[in-house]
Amino acid sequence: MWAIGVVCSILPDVDVVGFRFGIRYGDFWGHRGFTHSLLFAGVIATLALVAELPRASPGLSRGWLWLYFFLATASHGILHAMTNGGLGVAFFSPFD
Ligand SMILES: [Zn+2]
């Protein structure tokens, strides 16, 4: 569970792979774009919950586990927002 949480917290930076394929910084899939949004955090939390369920973390309900994975993923964008470099964070992507 802890290891999956760590992966959730760094996963939003998978968008840097897009630089290699010509995706620009300000694009939908660009850095600090969709992968740093709250919707992406929700999707990743759901996938992480599915991955964690077979291990059945004792004492934690599915709702708490989902919230833990969601906050771990969303914390990445929140920490980005506390910096003064680059563009802002697209928290509400795909909405403008
Ligand atoms: Zn990032």
Side-chain angles (χ1 to χ4, degrees), residues 44-71:
I44 293 302
T46 303
L47 294 175
L49 183 65
V50 170
E52 175 59 22
L53 276 182
R55 290 165 187 79
S57 300
L60 285 177
S61 70
R62 293 169 57 168
W64 283 115
L65 263 179
W66 185 89
L67 182 63
Y68 163 68
F69 293 136
F70 174 79
L71 291 174

Side-chain angles (χ1 to χ4, degrees), residues 9-16 31-32 35-36 76-77 80:
S9 71
I10 59 176
L11 193 59
D13 270 345
V14 72
D15 58 11
V16 296
H31 190 53
R32 294 184 173 190
T35 61
H36 289 60
H76 185 97
H80 261 294

Side-chain angles (χ1 to χ4, degrees), residues 62-95:
R62 293 169 57 168
W64 283 115
L65 263 179
W66 185 89
L67 182 63
Y68 163 68
F69 293 136
F70 174 79
L71 291 174
T73 308
S75 71
H76 185 97
I78 293 168
L79 291 172
H80 261 294
M82 292 181 183
T83 67
N84 61 2
L87 299 175
V89 178
F91 284 116
F92 302 108
S93 180
F95 304 103

